[in-house]
């Protein structure tokens, strides 16, 4: 040990220390082992304790839940008792009912006796209204509470309380509905009273006037006219009108509160009932207002009393407005015209009230959908009348004038069409409003299609010249077109029958030969269709309705071009029709031919007859073509018509028929003059002294024959054409000038040659042939 430098004493100390450390480590290990055993025992003890405390905890939790349930049950019982007590207390308000609405007679009596102050104090029922409606709202909450807590519980008391609360709520809503109807009627009476006092034609012109405006107008008039009687200023008593307008405003507020309270009740019957009540009151008031406006605004030439002169105007208007659609379809055209005018007046007066009724509904009902529903129900009966009459007129017998009646009706409906389209496009519109809008749009389309079908069948009849057929043939063709087109039977009016020469005799199956005027002047059908075209141009919607190619948003120039094409087609069809008429007629019967051409051979008779027939055709088409041309040049859309080339075409027709008339009528006379001139020229070139007697006799005989032929031809032309007439002075003068240019040169030459021959041969008797 010395070798390592450690003394024995130190070694022993280290050894003892190591021994001590070892002993301490053993003690620590022993303590650790004891601690582990203690912790294990403690864990077992804790586990045993947990097993012991768990049932206690569960029992404690159950006890807490039971206490919470008891607390909720007590609270629920308290709320139930409170709701029951509240509903019983509310029963007092329900039994008392709403403040009753007064009547217009009572109000006017107070106003006439200058007791406006008393009236205002007695009518201060706004607070009572609010208390009652608040009671209704609380009663509804009680009903919801009882339904929620006792809905599935078989409790006699709960059933009894629910039944009592429901009965109270229904009674309260019934009171609200009754008062809603009464106050609506009262407002309508107030409006009528204001109109009567202000002497205004319409309440809309008065209702927007403020109280201070009426008072100022009244005071100003009294200052300028101190001795004037009351109401002479045209506004009536300013104080009375001011009070009525103020009262109306207050009543509208109360009605709005009632409507809100009724609609807040989640029952279908309540909603249907309030809308039905609103529609009944406002529709009746609107109908009365419209009829008064119609009777006041009817023109003097319109007489309602057509059937019974003892019938009052009100009864006559009632009868006309209630005429069913089926009866309208079978009426004569004169009655249809009458109903069309009634329809237009009714629509115009209804449309004048539409905005007011819509604003009124918006003041009563809070939500747009509810106001649209009420508005649609108010207009439903009026629109039913409008649709019924429009349907009956559209499906009635087709006549040319029916086009104008329907165009007038469509023009009057254009504003309402925009309204119905807006109702269809609106997302907030109710089902009733959309159904009403769809029905009116269907009516509009029916009228448009009726105009187009009527006009098409009229133009087709003119084009195929069904106008010249007998009644049986015309009816047959109309029925045939009905199978193909599905339209109503074509029924011209009495006037158009005359123009179109539809033979009313059932025994005649051939075309009437009187369909063309005997003097070749303007045909009545041409005059009728010219006036027809003029009237078409008076309707701004004619091009859009009659042409299927017309589109919305067209420029005025495009619209005029569409209308010009419609007119050009009709006038072109007219000219073709006139050609057909004149081509299938015979100008002269057998007696006339024998009297005029009895001395001539049959071949010459036929040739002269054909020439005169063609001449008459030319003069007839010349007159009518010139009439169509001059009329078209004065049309409203003459520039657009000229663009189509129609005027140029008609000018060419006039020129061609003028030339044809001159050639067909006077060509033979010119030929006779030329032959006479040639014969006279031969006589001048020959020496009569050198000619043998027989040859000279033959030459003179030939000359006399030519002179007689010219004389006879001239007389025939005069005899046949002296009854012909050219009504247009300008055309008549032009035709005379051209006739002179056509005849005079040859006639003058022939006359000069004949005079020279007569002087040379001393045969003056020849002049009597010329």
């Amino acid at each position: 040990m010395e070798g390592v430098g450690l003394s024995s004493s130190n070694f022993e100390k280290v050894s003892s220390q190591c021994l001590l450390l070892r002993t301490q480590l053993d003690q620590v290990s022993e303590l650790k082992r004891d601690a582990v055993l203690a912790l294990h025992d403690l864990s077992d003890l804790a586990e045993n304790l947990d097993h012991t405390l768990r049932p206690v905890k569960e029992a404690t939790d159950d006890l807490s839940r039971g206490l919470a349930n008891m607390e909720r049950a007590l609270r629920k019982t308290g709320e139930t008792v409170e709701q029951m007590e509240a509903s019983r207390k509310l029963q007092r308000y329900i039994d008392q009912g709403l403040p009753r609405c007064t009547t217009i007679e009572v109000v006017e009596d107070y106003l006439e006796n200058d007791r406006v102050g008393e009236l205002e104090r007695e009518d201060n029922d706004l607070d009572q209204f609010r208390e009652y409606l608040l009671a209704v709202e609380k009663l509804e909450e009680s009903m919801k509470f009882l339904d929620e807590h006792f809905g599935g519980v078989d409790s006699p008391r709960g059933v009894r309380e629910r039944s009592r609360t429901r009965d109270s709520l229904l009674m309260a809503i019934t009171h609200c509905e009754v008062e809603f109807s009464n106050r609506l009627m009262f407002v309508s009476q107030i409006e009528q009273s204001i109109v009567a006092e202000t002497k205004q034609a319409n309440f809309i012109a008065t209702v927007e006037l403020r109280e201070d405006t009426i008072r100022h107008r009244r005071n100003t008039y009294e200052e300028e006219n101190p001795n004037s009687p009351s109401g002479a200023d045209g506004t009536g008593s300013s104080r009375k009108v001011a009070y009525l307008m103020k009262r109306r405003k207050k009543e509208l507020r109360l009605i709005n509160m009632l409507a809100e309270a009724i609609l807040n009740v989640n029952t279908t019957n309540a909603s249907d009932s309030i809308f039905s009540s609103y529609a009944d009151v406002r529709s009746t008031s609107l109908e009365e207002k419209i009829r008064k406006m119609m009777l006041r605004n009817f023109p003097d030439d319109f007489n309602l009393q057509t059937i019974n002169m003892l019938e009052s105007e009100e009864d006559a208007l009632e009868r006309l407005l209630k005429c069913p659609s089926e009866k309208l379809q079978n009426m004569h055209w004169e009655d249809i015209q009458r109903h069309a005018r009634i329809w237009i007046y009714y629509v115009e007066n209804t449309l004048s009230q539409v905005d007011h009724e819509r604003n009124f509904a918006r003041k009563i009902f809070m939500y747009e959908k509810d106001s649209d529903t009420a508005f649609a129900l108010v207009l439903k009966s009026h629109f039913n009348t409008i649709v019924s009459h429009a349907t009956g007129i559209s499906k009635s017998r087709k006549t040319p004038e029916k086009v104008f009646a329907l165009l007038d009706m469509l023009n009057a409906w254009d504003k309402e069409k925009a309204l119905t389209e807006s109702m269809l496009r609106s997302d907030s519109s109710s089902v009733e409003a959309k159904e009403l809008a769809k029905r009116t749009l269907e009516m509009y389309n029916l009228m448009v299609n009726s105009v187009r079908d009527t006009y098409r069948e009229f133009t087709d009849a003119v084009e195929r010249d069904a106008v010249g057929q007998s009644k049986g043939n015309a009816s047959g063709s109309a029925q045939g077109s009905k199978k193909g087109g599905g339209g109503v039977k074509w029924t011209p009016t009495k006037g158009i029958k005359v123009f179109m020469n539809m033979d009313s005799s059932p025994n005649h199956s051939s075309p009437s030969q009187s369909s063309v005027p005997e003097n070749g002047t303007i045909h009545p059908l041409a005059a009728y269709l010219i006036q027809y075209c003029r009237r078409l141009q008076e309707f701004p919607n004619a091009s859009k309705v009659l042409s299927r190619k017309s589109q919305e948003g067209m420029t005025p120039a495009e619209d005029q071009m569409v209308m010009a094409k419609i007119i050009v087609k009709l006038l072109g069809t007219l000219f073709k029709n006139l050609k057909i008429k004149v081509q299938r007629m015979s100008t002269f019967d057998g007696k006339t031919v024998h009297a005029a051409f009895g001395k001539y051979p049959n071949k010459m008779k036929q040739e002269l007859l054909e020439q005169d027939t063609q001449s008459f055709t030319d003069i007839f088409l010349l007159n009518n073509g010139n009439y169509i041309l001059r009329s078209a040049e004065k049309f409203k859309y003459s520039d657009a018509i000229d663009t189509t080339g129609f005027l140029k075409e008609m000018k060419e027709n006039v020129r061609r028929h003028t030339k044809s008339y001159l050639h067909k009528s006077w060509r033979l006379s010119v030929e006779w003059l030329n032959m006479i001139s040639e014969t006279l020229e031969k006589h001048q070139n020959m020496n009569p002294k050198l000619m043998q007697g027989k040859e000279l006799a033959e030459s003179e005989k030939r000359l006399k024959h030519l002179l007689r032929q010219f004389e006879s031809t001239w007389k025939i032309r005069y005899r046949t054409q002296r009854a012909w007439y050219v009504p247009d002075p300008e055309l008549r003068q032009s035709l005379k000038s051209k006739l002179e240019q056509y005849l005079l040169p040859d006639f003058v030459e022939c006359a000069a040659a004949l005079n020279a021959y007569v002087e040379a041969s001393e045969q003056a008797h020849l002049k009597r042939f010329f």
Side-chain angles (χ1 to χ4, degrees):
M1 295 297 292
E2 295 178 355
V4 297
L6 181 65
S7 64
S8 59
S9 57
N10 292 334
F11 179 78
E12 289 177 358
K13 291 179 180 180
V14 170
S15 298
S16 61
Q17 290 176 354
C18 290
L19 183 61
L20 181 60
L21 290 171
R22 187 174 184 84
T23 301
Q24 290 177 350
L25 288 172
D26 291 338
Q27 291 176 356
V28 170
S29 299
E30 187 67 24
L31 289 172
K32 180 180 180 182
R33 189 165 43 253
D34 293 339
V36 170
L37 293 175
L39 290 173
H40 182 69
D41 293 338
L42 184 61
S43 175
D44 292 339
L45 181 61
E47 185 176 355
N48 293 331
L49 184 62
D50 182 63
H51 286 300
T52 302
L53 293 177
R54 186 175 299 165
V56 177
K57 183 177 181 299
E58 291 177 355
T60 303
D61 293 339
D62 292 340
L63 183 60
S64 299
R65 285 192 293 270
L67 291 174
N69 291 334
M70 290 178 63
E71 184 179 358
R72 283 195 296 272
L74 290 174
R75 189 183 303 113
K76 178 179 178 181
T77 302
E79 291 177 354
T80 303
V81 172
E82 182 181 353
Q83 291 291 340
M84 290 180 180
E85 292 296 329
S87 63
R88 290 194 181 106
K89 292 179 181 179
L90 293 174
Q91 187 65 37
R92 177 173 59 88
Y93 290 99
I94 304 304
D95 293 338
Q96 290 178 354
L98 282 165
R100 295 294 180 88
C101 177
T102 185
T103 61
I104 192 65
E105 291 80 9
V106 173
V107 173
E108 290 181 344
D109 182 61
Y110 271 87
L111 293 175
E112 289 175 1
N113 296 324
D114 200 15
R115 299 164 59 190
V116 178
E118 297 180 22
L119 190 60
E120 289 179 347
R121 286 193 297 271
E122 291 182 4
D123 293 333
N124 190 15
D125 49 9
L126 183 60
D127 293 337
Q128 298 180 31
F129 250 84
R130 288 174 177 169
E131 291 177 0
Y132 187 89
L133 296 180
L134 182 61
V136 173
E137 183 179 353
K138 291 182 178 179
L139 193 63
E140 185 182 1
E141 293 177 357
S142 298
M143 188 66 212
K144 292 179 180 178
F145 178 85
L146 294 174
D147 286 340
E148 181 181 353
H149 292 83
F150 291 97
V153 179
D154 188 12
S155 170
R157 185 177 181 183
V159 172
R160 185 169 60 254
E161 289 295 332
R162 289 172 61 200
S163 176
R164 184 186 61 78
T165 305
R166 183 180 294 106
D167 292 341
S168 298
L169 181 60
L170 292 177
M171 182 182 296
I173 295 301
T174 302
H175 289 167
C176 291
E177 291 174 351
V178 172
E179 198 63 25
F180 179 85
S181 299
N182 292 339
R183 292 187 180 270
L184 265 179
M185 183 65 70
F186 182 55
V187 168
S188 299
Q189 293 172 347
I190 288 176
E191 292 177 353
Q192 295 175 6
S193 181
I194 292 175
V195 171
E197 286 294 327
T198 57
K199 306 296 189 298
Q200 295 287 342
N202 193 352
F203 175 73
I204 301 174
T206 307
V207 72
E208 302 299 333
L209 294 177
R210 295 180 179 273
E211 179 181 353
D212 54 354
T213 304
I214 297 177
R215 185 182 296 110
H216 174 72
R217 182 183 299 177
R218 177 64 180 173
N219 294 336
T220 303
Y221 185 83
E222 288 179 350
E223 291 176 0
E224 297 175 353
N225 305 274
N227 298 324
S228 64
S230 176
D233 60 341
T235 61
S237 174
S238 60
R239 189 175 184 184
K240 179 178 180 179
V241 174
Y243 173 79
L244 290 175
M245 292 177 65
K246 182 179 178 180
R247 183 63 183 270
R248 177 182 178 273
K249 185 177 181 180
K250 174 196 169 185
E251 294 295 334
L252 289 178
R253 173 58 181 157
L254 296 178
I255 294 172
N256 176 264
M257 294 168 60
L258 288 171
E260 184 179 358
I262 296 172
L263 291 175
N264 285 337
V265 179
N266 295 324
T267 59
T268 305
N269 293 334
S271 299
D272 294 342
S273 177
I274 186 175
F275 288 131
S276 177
S277 300
Y278 179 86
D280 290 342
V281 174
R282 293 303 298 178
S283 180
T284 302
S285 175
L286 180 61
E287 183 69 22
E288 183 179 355
K289 190 184 305 182
I290 290 173
R291 293 189 181 185
K292 287 182 178 179
M293 293 172 63
M294 290 180 67
L295 292 172
R296 183 170 53 248
N297 298 329
F298 269 137
D300 297 335
D301 61 340
F302 193 83
N303 184 16
L304 289 170
Q305 301 161 322
T306 55
I307 297 179
N308 184 3
M309 297 306 296
L310 299 178
E311 185 181 33
S312 66
E313 290 187 349
E314 292 79 4
D315 294 339
L317 181 60
E318 177 78 12
R319 172 177 52 78
L320 291 172
L321 290 177
K322 288 187 176 181
C323 182
S325 175
E326 294 76 12
K327 186 177 180 180
L328 278 171
Q329 297 178 27
N330 299 318
M331 284 185 176
H332 294 292
W333 169 241
E334 291 74 13
D335 296 326
I336 292 293
Q337 277 184 313
R338 188 178 197 79
H339 280 274
R341 292 184 68 182
I342 289 287
W343 188 91
I344 292 172
Y345 294 141
Y346 189 81
V347 167
E348 289 176 349
N349 287 279
T350 302
L351 296 186
S352 67
Q353 302 296 320
V354 164
D355 290 337
H356 172 64
E357 283 300 323
R358 201 166 195 177
N359 293 332
F360 189 91
R362 287 170 177 169
K363 292 178 182 178
I364 302 300
F365 299 97
M366 181 181 300
Y367 299 104
E368 187 73 17
K369 187 173 183 179
D370 293 336
S371 65
D372 279 351
T373 300
F375 172 68
L377 291 176
V378 170
L379 294 183
K380 185 176 181 180
S381 61
H382 306 284
F383 277 25
N384 285 342
T385 301
I386 292 173
V387 171
S388 174
H389 277 64
T391 302
I393 294 173
S394 298
K395 294 183 177 181
S396 63
R397 301 174 181 178
K398 296 183 179 179
T399 63
E401 291 85 358
K402 179 180 172 181
V403 173
F404 303 130
L406 288 174
L407 285 176
D408 272 331
M409 294 169 65
L410 289 169
N411 191 36
W413 186 253
D414 279 343
K415 295 180 182 179
E416 187 58 31
K417 181 172 179 287
L419 171 65
T420 53
E421 288 178 348
S422 66
M423 293 169 64
L424 279 174
R425 289 194 300 266
S426 176
D427 295 333
S428 63
S429 295
S430 62
V431 176
E432 292 81 0
K434 290 186 176 180
E435 288 180 354
L436 183 63
K438 288 180 180 178
R439 188 177 179 194
T440 53
L441 286 179
E442 290 175 357
M443 176 204 69
Y444 183 87
N445 293 330
L446 175 63
M447 288 195 293
V448 170
N449 292 331
S450 179
V451 172
R452 290 174 177 172
D453 293 343
T454 303
Y455 182 78
R456 186 189 65 250
E457 291 195 19
F458 172 55
T459 55
D460 288 347
V462 175
E463 183 176 7
R464 66 176 179 265
D465 197 31
V467 299
Q469 298 179 7
S470 67
K471 184 175 181 181
N473 293 340
S475 300
S477 62
Q479 292 173 356
S481 63
K482 179 179 178 181
K483 292 181 179 179
V488 183
K489 180 180 176 181
W490 170 259
T491 310
T493 59
K494 184 183 295 183
I496 196 64
K497 282 182 180 179
V498 174
F499 293 144
M500 301 168 72
N501 297 291
M502 297 181 72
D503 191 0
S504 59
S505 175
N507 299 324
H508 291 82
S509 59
S510 59
S512 173
Q513 296 188 5
S514 63
S515 61
V516 176
E518 294 181 357
N519 59 355
T521 187
I522 308 301
H523 195 281
L525 179 61
Y528 175 80
L529 286 184
I530 290 297
Q531 295 300 324
Y532 198 88
C533 291
R534 286 198 179 101
R535 287 196 64 187
L536 279 180
Q537 296 173 82
E538 296 174 0
F539 295 93
N541 57 345
S543 60
K544 180 177 63 176
V545 175
L546 294 177
S547 176
R548 298 182 184 272
K549 297 180 181 179
S550 180
Q551 300 177 355
E552 295 290 342
M554 290 195 310
T555 63
E558 293 173 341
D559 185 73
Q560 290 183 10
M561 184 55 66
V562 172
M563 195 63 209
K565 291 180 179 179
I566 294 173
I567 294 174
V568 165
K569 183 177 180 181
L570 181 58
L571 294 180
T573 303
L574 166 65
F575 198 67
K576 292 179 182 178
N577 175 279
L578 297 176
K579 285 183 179 179
I580 295 174
K581 288 181 182 299
V582 74
Q583 286 173 359
R584 68 184 179 194
M585 66 157 292
S586 297
T587 308
F588 309 105
D589 56 14
K591 295 181 180 179
T592 305
V593 172
H594 179 75
F597 312 120
K599 300 178 181 180
Y600 301 96
N602 291 334
K603 184 177 180 180
M604 184 174 291
K605 289 180 184 179
Q606 185 64 29
E607 182 180 357
L608 292 172
L609 178 61
E610 290 177 357
Q611 290 177 0
D612 278 336
T613 301
Q614 183 60 42
S615 299
F616 181 82
T617 299
D618 289 327
I619 204 69
F620 173 74
L621 294 178
L622 176 61
N623 276 330
N624 286 272
N626 181 74
Y627 175 69
I628 294 172
L629 172 63
R630 301 308 174 197
S631 300
E633 289 176 343
K634 298 177 183 178
F635 279 170
K636 179 180 179 180
Y637 301 134
S638 58
D639 294 338
I641 293 174
D642 189 22
T643 306
T644 62
F646 176 76
L647 298 182
K648 182 178 180 180
E649 179 183 352
M650 290 307 300
K651 289 178 182 178
E652 178 61 26
N653 287 332
V654 171
R655 187 196 64 78
R656 185 175 66 253
H657 287 295
T658 301
K659 183 177 179 180
S660 177
Y661 163 73
L662 294 174
H663 182 73
K664 291 294 183 181
S665 291
W666 305 105
R667 177 181 58 83
L668 187 58
S669 297
V670 171
E671 290 179 355
W672 289 128
L673 288 173
N674 291 333
M675 294 173 66
I676 293 172
S677 298
E678 291 177 0
T679 304
L680 291 173
E681 185 179 359
K682 290 180 180 180
H683 276 278
Q684 290 178 356
N685 294 333
M686 296 181 185
N687 188 354
K689 297 180 180 180
L690 298 178
M691 296 179 62
Q692 298 180 2
K694 184 177 181 181
E695 184 178 358
L696 180 60
E698 288 292 336
S699 178
E700 290 179 354
K701 183 178 179 182
R702 174 175 173 77
L703 179 60
K704 290 179 181 179
H705 173 72
L706 292 175
L707 290 172
R708 288 193 182 95
Q709 290 286 16
F710 173 77
E711 179 188 23
S712 299
T713 304
W714 189 275
K715 288 181 179 180
I716 290 170
R717 292 291 179 262
Y718 172 74
R719 190 179 302 160
T720 56
Q721 297 189 18
R722 64 182 176 180
W724 298 357
Y725 180 62
V726 179
D728 186 4
E730 184 178 350
L731 177 63
R732 185 166 60 246
Q733 187 60 39
S734 173
L735 199 59
K736 285 181 179 180
S737 300
K738 291 179 180 179
L739 185 57
E740 290 175 357
Q741 295 174 7
Y742 190 81
L743 278 175
L744 272 182
D746 294 324
F747 183 84
V748 171
E749 180 184 355
C750 183
L754 182 61
N755 286 333
Y757 176 78
V758 168
E759 291 177 358
S761 62
E762 298 179 355
Q763 298 186 39
H765 66 279
L766 294 178
K767 287 187 176 183
R768 66 183 178 84
F769 295 109
F770 202 60

